[in-house]
Amino acid sequence: MARAYGARDIHVLEGLEAVRMRPGMYVGSTGSRGLHHLLWEIIDNAIDEAFSGYASKVEVTLCEDGSVRVADDGRGIPVDIHDTMDMPGVQVVFTHLHAGGKFNNDNYSYSGGLHGVGAAVVNALSRWLEVEVMRDGKLYYQRYESRYDNTHKKFLPGIPMTKLKAISNTRKTGTVVRFLPDDRVFDDIEFDMEIISKRLRELAFLNKGLKIYLKDERTEDVKKIEYCYDGGIVDFVTFLNEEKNPIHDEILYIEGEQDKIHAKIAIQYTDSYTESIFSYVNNIPTTEGGAHETGFKSGLTRVFNEYARRLSFLKERENNLLGEDIREGLTVIISINMTDVQFEGQTKTRLGNMEARAAIETLVVDNLSHAIESGRYRKDFEAIIKKSIKAAKVREAARRARDITRKKSNLEGASLVGKLSSCTGRRAEFNELFIVEGDSAGGSAKQGRDRRFQAILPLRGKPLNSEKKRIDQVLANEEIRTIIAALGTGIGEDFDISKLNYNRIIILSDADQDGAHIRAILLTFFFRYMKDLVTNGHVYIGMPPLYKIDTGKKTHYLYSDNELRAMTNKLGKGYTVQRYKGLGEMNPEQLWETTMDPQKRNIIQVTIDDAASADKLITTLMGDKVSPRRQYISTHANFNKSDTFQDMGV
Ligand code: TSJ
């Protein structure tokens, strides 16, 4: 087949080669995250077309051969010859770095930001990629491949195999892109249905009325999912609160534009004691928050304090309610769209554009004041303000309790952290805290550790499930207080990450149901009261081995049933297998060797890719509605791989 590239394209191909050299620079990693990033990039382009009002559906198909196909019914990527590049627009998109969907400057596109790496990056990191464009009554087709170049003795990525050709007539319009990620780039090229369906559901919530279809053709029983929410983010809030108890019926909805920033906000309060705020910029989750969240919070605080004064819920001599009082039990989705987005923070998921702060504050104040004055939401606002005032009272009480805790920790510091075996090193950035289930495992860990940088905190029994309790009760729990004291950061509004005593906090619990429960309780506590600990990547799950095989000559530790099977097959016979029922069965040397030694151990970092799902899951597992939890546990009863931390994006 004739190759459709000449001297002029060499430059462009070098661009794609640069992507091959440093894939991490363009998609973050060559692991699962990077792999899915390719798909997000293509999907973002299709969603953009829908957002601009030209497409009504997006279809994603995981094909039998491992490739993935994304289709929309929009206008079709332009096929006419690009002014300066001398090739069809489509080809520019797939061979020119950063062309993305933005080669047409008239197009007021919001795309960009985290995912905006461009379709050319996807092409560069694929074995092959095919595009079909339907427009002007024709179906156009082009295929690209990664090929070995015999003359230059190297692989060249993303080479057009043919020119863009009209291959048939059609009355439809739209774009179809199908690609197979390159297994020489990615550690593993298997797409994860769970990750994809969650992201598509989120996109369907964020783009009201958009029909998103997902099909998994890779197995015999083909799986099909359809997402479409006519209520948009209002439906998102309903979904998040499904297993909570709302304290008012109407979901407050704000939509408007201010200084070229378009915002949608949906709010509902529940009887929960924590806040669940999820924000997005151009459909990208801003896990670390930023200017838009700050603006929302100040607006909310202002409106409710004014309202509380005006209707005398607050007496003249009483202090204003604090933001945290007004956010107790709040579930909110903030979704904004703007151009020239600046992402900041550890994981580049904090909105840096300061202009968004004032814009969102204005929108919140104007719209909520208007809603209050209309009288239509009288009951809703009353329920909210009563809850806030209650929260303020409890906060006062809790502060007194906390002051006692503080004094206690000064006076009896030794006893409060008495169970803690500190490390000798004083540099927090090197230090690790192991929170270990049970005194006996704690003892082994204490003897087995490297005391220069590893501290051990054994937990007796189960810590308090913080999901069901208010902060004063959480603080009354001894195990929780010990953890807080050991970490040094304080909690909630007082939380200060710069005071963190350890760079890694590693949860070590048994591979059984109790162990999973303890792990879930600890993650819940961190997630609710020390969220930055998790978002900044300080929390880990330790993975002790499940089996030991002895051949007489050599000892092998196995961490899963699969590993065990592989090893027994390999060894044939002449070995003994020991199944570890708990950490306590390992002696100090074994525990060090298998689970604690940084050179050999296996630890999993807990991250939150999808904070909304993590929140929902925690409510389900830890909340007070029993039947959804039963159902969840019976359908996901795998306690070796805790569902909680998997869903937190590990
Ligand atoms: F990623 C991608 F570029 F490969 C891609 C783009 C993948 C998929 C599945 C869809 C798309 C895409 C792009 N769908 N729709 C569009 N639209 C345009 O590129 C487009 C169409 C018309 C005009 C115009 O001004 O007439 C402008 C643009 C940017």
Side-chain angles (χ1 to χ4, degrees):
M1 211 181 271
R3 286 191 194 166
Y5 76 101
R8 149 189 331 268
D9 300 322
I10 296 293
H11 175 73
V12 166
L13 292 173
E14 275 172 5
L16 297 195
E17 277 184 78
V19 178
R20 291 287 289 214
M21 307 261 228
R22 291 203 178 77
M25 289 250 302
Y26 296 87
V27 293
S29 79
T30 56
S32 165
R33 243 171 206 249
L35 178 78
H36 289 88
H37 206 131
L38 298 184
L39 181 54
W40 306 153
E41 177 57 37
I42 299 299
I43 292 173
D44 281 357
N45 277 279
I47 300 268
D48 247 25
E49 185 75 356
F51 183 81
S52 317
Y54 298 106
S56 69
K57 66 176 182 199
V58 175
E59 289 171 12
V60 178
T61 311
L62 304 175
C63 306
E64 242 177 317
D65 61 358
S67 67
V68 60
R69 179 181 179 277
V70 181
D72 70 42
D73 60 350
R75 294 166 295 176
I77 306 177
V79 294
D80 43 328
I81 301 298
H82 189 275
D83 295 347
T84 52
M85 307 271 203
D86 197 25
M87 59 170 91
V90 185
Q91 192 172 335
V92 177
V93 167
F94 287 105
T95 57
H96 202 81
L97 283 184
H98 301 298
K102 289 190 283 188
F103 64 94
N104 182 343
N105 280 329
D106 314 334
N107 183 24
Y108 186 60
S109 171
Y110 281 125
S111 144
L114 201 63
H115 300 156
V117 291
V121 167
V122 179
N123 188 24
L125 300 178
S126 295
R127 273 261 156 164
W128 54 261
L129 181 148
E130 292 174 341
V131 56
E132 286 170 31
V133 170
M134 292 168 283
R135 63 184 277 152
D136 313 326
K138 295 207 167 54
L139 190 156
Y140 300 86
Y141 170 84
Q142 191 171 31
R143 179 178 165 97
Y144 306 83
E145 286 184 16
S146 152
R147 278 288 178 103
Y148 191 68
D149 181 325
N150 250 324
T151 334
H152 299 94
K153 302 278 177 248
K154 62 180 174 184
F155 276 100
L156 295 177
I159 305 167
M161 289 292 105
T162 58
K163 290 191 170 182
L164 180 77
K165 280 195 236 169
I167 56 172
S168 61
N169 295 327
T170 179
R171 288 154 76 167
K172 290 195 261 184
T173 66
T175 304
V176 183
V177 171
R178 181 168 168 181
F179 66 97
L180 179 69
D182 199 324
D183 56 358
R184 296 163 299 196
V185 174
F186 295 97
D187 311 340
D188 182 359
I189 57 163
E190 192 171 323
F191 285 106
D192 184 330
M193 189 65 176
E194 188 101 338
I195 294 175
I196 296 167
S197 60
K198 256 191 224 155
R199 174 64 180 150
L200 293 183
R201 184 180 62 202
E202 179 175 62
L203 283 168
F205 279 131
L206 294 170
N207 297 275
K208 177 156 76 180
L210 174 63
K211 293 193 267 295
I212 301 184
Y213 301 91
L214 171 60
K215 201 163 150 195
D216 188 352
E217 294 178 344
R218 296 171 304 179
T219 49
E220 292 255 313
D221 57 324
V222 173
K223 217 172 144 194
K224 287 186 190 171
I225 308 181
E226 210 181 305
Y227 295 115
C228 179
Y229 299 101
D230 290 320
I233 60 170
V234 168
D235 289 348
F236 201 167
V237 167
T238 306
F239 168 78
L240 290 170
N241 284 348
E242 222 165 47
E243 274 127 41
K244 300 185 182 182
N245 308 306
I247 57 165
H248 59 110
D249 297 331
E250 295 246 26
I251 293 180
L252 305 172
Y253 181 71
I254 296 172
E255 178 163 1
E257 194 166 310
Q258 178 80 26
D259 305 328
K260 295 241 173 91
I261 297 174
H262 189 95
K264 302 186 190 103
I265 302 173
I267 301 168
Q268 191 182 37
Y269 283 79
T270 70
D271 66 359
S272 137
Y273 301 129
T274 54
E275 56 186 63
S276 302
I277 303 182
F278 304 107
S279 62
Y280 298 84
V281 178
N282 302 343
N283 289 331
I284 298 163
T286 35
T287 323
E288 294 171 284
H292 53 334
E293 274 192 22
T294 315
F296 168 79
K297 288 178 184 172
S298 358
L300 196 74
T301 309
R302 224 169 87 194
V303 168
F304 276 101
N305 270 307
E306 279 166 18
Y307 169 73
R309 293 249 174 247
R310 199 150 44 79
L311 293 186
S312 302
F313 286 104
L314 273 183
K315 305 281 172 311
E316 219 169 294
R317 55 181 172 76
E318 286 177 315
N319 284 334
N320 263 359
L321 299 165
L322 296 187
E324 58 177 285
D325 304 328
I326 295 169
R327 293 195 301 275
E328 191 189 90
L330 168 69
T331 300
V332 61
I333 297 289
I334 304 166
S335 172
I336 75 167
N337 288 88
M338 63 184 291
T339 51
D340 304 317
V341 179
Q342 302 287 328
F343 286 109
E344 300 175 343
Q346 293 261 358
T347 53
K348 291 270 174 285
T349 58
R350 183 172 70 235
L351 179 65
N353 303 59
M354 286 319 296
E355 67 273 22
R357 184 186 165 151
I360 304 305
E361 179 166 352
T362 304
L363 281 170
V364 168
V365 171
D366 290 357
N367 284 279
L368 285 186
S369 312
H370 188 260
I372 288 174
E373 272 150 36
S374 77
R376 186 177 152 205
Y377 302 99
R378 197 179 50 81
K379 275 196 182 148
D380 305 79
F381 282 110
E382 260 184 44
I384 297 167
I385 209 73
K386 281 182 182 151
K387 175 157 167 100
S388 303
I389 285 170
K390 179 100 186 284
K393 297 219 162 92
V394 173
R395 170 173 54 78
E396 291 293 335
R399 181 143 323 265
R400 286 192 287 276
R402 214 184 306 188
D403 285 345
I404 295 167
T405 312
R406 284 217 191 89
K407 281 199 198 96
K408 234 183 177 169
S409 66
N410 289 338
L411 290 174
E412 310 173 55
S415 92
L416 193 59
V417 213
K419 292 190 291 179
L420 175 74
S421 306
S422 319
C423 48
T424 52
R426 285 286 154 255
R427 306 264 308 263
E429 68 269 34
F430 298 128
N431 289 348
E432 301 180 338
L433 175 68
F434 284 85
I435 302 179
V436 186
E437 172 183 357
D439 273 337
S440 91
S444 293
K446 190 177 160 184
Q447 286 176 280
R449 69 182 169 146
D450 183 332
R451 63 169 56 245
R452 287 171 303 178
F453 67 98
Q454 294 181 321
I456 309 294
L457 182 62
L459 288 184
R460 240 176 249 128
K462 283 186 190 171
L464 181 88
N465 177 1
S466 54
E467 186 66 8
K468 296 179 190 165
K469 301 288 185 262
R470 240 176 181 136
I471 193 162
D472 50 337
Q473 289 167 286
V474 173
L475 282 170
N477 180 263
E478 171 98 18
E479 302 286 347
I480 297 274
R481 277 217 311 269
T482 310
I483 294 170
I484 299 169
L487 294 182
T489 54
I491 65 167
E493 298 273 305
D494 293 345
F495 182 81
D496 179 357
I497 197 133
S498 71
K499 297 199 177 129
L500 183 62
N501 290 329
Y502 304 92
N503 184 34
R504 296 199 179 93
I505 294 115
I506 303 168
I507 301 172
L508 259 192
S509 61
D510 291 337
D512 59 13
Q513 198 163 359
D514 261 4
H517 194 213
I518 286 177
R519 192 159 58 214
I521 286 177
L522 289 172
L523 289 176
T524 301
F525 171 70
F526 291 140
F527 185 74
R528 293 293 185 211
Y529 291 98
M530 301 183 166
K531 197 171 201 160
D532 287 352
L533 210 61
V534 185
T535 52
N536 290 359
H538 293 293
V539 181
Y540 295 80
I541 311 286
M543 299 290 278
L546 297 180
Y547 303 99
K548 181 171 94 166
I549 289 191
D550 240 315
T551 62
K553 288 195 205 116
K554 211 167 174 237
T555 308
H556 305 270
Y557 296 101
L558 294 319
Y559 293 82
S560 68
D561 288 339
N562 274 343
E563 281 184 27
L564 175 72
R565 216 168 303 129
M567 184 56 72
T568 51
N569 284 341
K570 197 176 131 198
L571 293 173
K573 50 185 185 308
Y575 59 83
T576 57
V577 182
Q578 184 194 345
R579 188 195 156 88
Y580 288 119
K581 289 195 203 66
L583 292 161
E585 290 176 21
M586 268 181 276
N587 65 37
E589 292 72 36
Q590 286 170 331
L591 195 59
W592 162 255
E593 219 178 294
T594 60
T595 316
M596 300 177 73
D597 178 0
Q599 304 300 322
K600 295 188 192 147
R601 73 187 177 197
N602 222 340
I603 58 176
I604 299 180
Q605 188 173 35
V606 179
T607 58
I608 309 177
D609 273 339
D610 177 5
S613 296
D615 189 276
K616 181 91 193 282
L617 187 80
I618 281 180
T619 313
T620 307
L621 291 178
M622 296 299 181
D624 54 11
K625 288 201 180 173
V626 175
S627 80
R629 174 169 55 238
R630 285 252 172 77
Q631 209 175 344
Y632 189 89
I633 289 178
S634 64
T635 50
H636 291 74
N638 178 352
F639 292 103
N640 288 336
K641 286 167 128 197
S642 156
D643 295 302
T644 304
F645 63 84
Q646 281 198 317
D647 269 81
M648 280 177 138
V650 179

